[in-house]
Amino acid sequence: KAEQDVRRIHRRKSYVTDAQYNEMHKQAGATLQAAMEILYCTGIRMGDLLRLKWSDVHKDYIEIIEGKTINEYKKEISPRLSRALSNARKIKPLSPYVIHNRRGQKYTEDGFGTLWQYTRTRKMPKHLRFGIHRIRHKAITDADDKRKFSQHKTQAMADHYDDSIPPSPSH
């Protein structure tokens, strides 16, 4: 129980604030900006983003097949997600992948991680840095219906990604 409490406190301290997110977004290049926005708007894992193809993107939704769980669902396209996809579409060269490298090929997780680390360590002050996987936590934490947004089978799993501190009424 004590170990669980320590992990929960650490997670809440590592919640990505809007200021942190916005600063990283500002410092990032076009590919990283599009990736950040798609990750935040969808709450999908980085590996799922790197496998995402334009053929999965439809007028009103994105077909998501999670690599880890093989869970399949349709993620509705919000105006913010639509802008992120539009920005990703402008990245040259043309590619079947939504997020791709300079040769139009699918990014490996290591290759994309290197891009993230370069921007994070060279352009961000230490106190604002965060890992790419924290965007998933931020997305789920910021969602109104965390379980529906994240498509987790159980509330306990959705709660695992929720870094918010619950409010408590006073007298």
Side-chain angles (χ1 to χ4, degrees), residues 136-150:
R136 178 169 163 82
H137 286 256
K138 177 176 181 51
I140 294 170
T141 300
D142 292 352
D144 291 331
D145 186 337
K146 293 158 185 25
R147 187 169 169 196
K148 185 175 181 182
F149 176 82
S150 66

Side-chain angles (χ1 to χ4, degrees), residues 16 26 39-40 44-45 53 69 74 77 80 88-90 98 111-112 115 119-120 123 153 161 171:
V16 176
K26 187 171 87 175
L39 286 170
Y40 179 75
I44 62 176
R45 291 175 183 85
K53 291 184 172 186
T69 63
K74 294 177 180 180
I77 297 180
R80 182 173 176 175
R89 180 107 38 209
K90 295 174 189 171
V98 175
F112 190 80
L115 175 65
T119 303
R120 183 178 101 134
K123 298 183 176 185
K153 298 284 185 223
Y161 285 92
H171 295 289

Side-chain angles (χ1 to χ4, degrees), residues 21-41 49 80 83-85 87-88 91 99 112 115-116 119 132 135:
Y21 181 91
N22 292 338
E23 184 61 26
M24 182 68 177
H25 191 268
K26 187 171 87 175
Q27 297 300 329
T31 298
L32 207 50
Q33 284 180 343
M36 286 177 69
E37 282 292 276
I38 295 167
L39 286 170
Y40 179 75
C41 291
L49 171 66
R80 182 173 176 175
R83 284 189 302 276
L85 291 167
N87 289 337
I91 298 169
I99 298 298
F112 190 80
L115 175 65
W116 177 267
T119 303
I132 185 87
I135 295 176

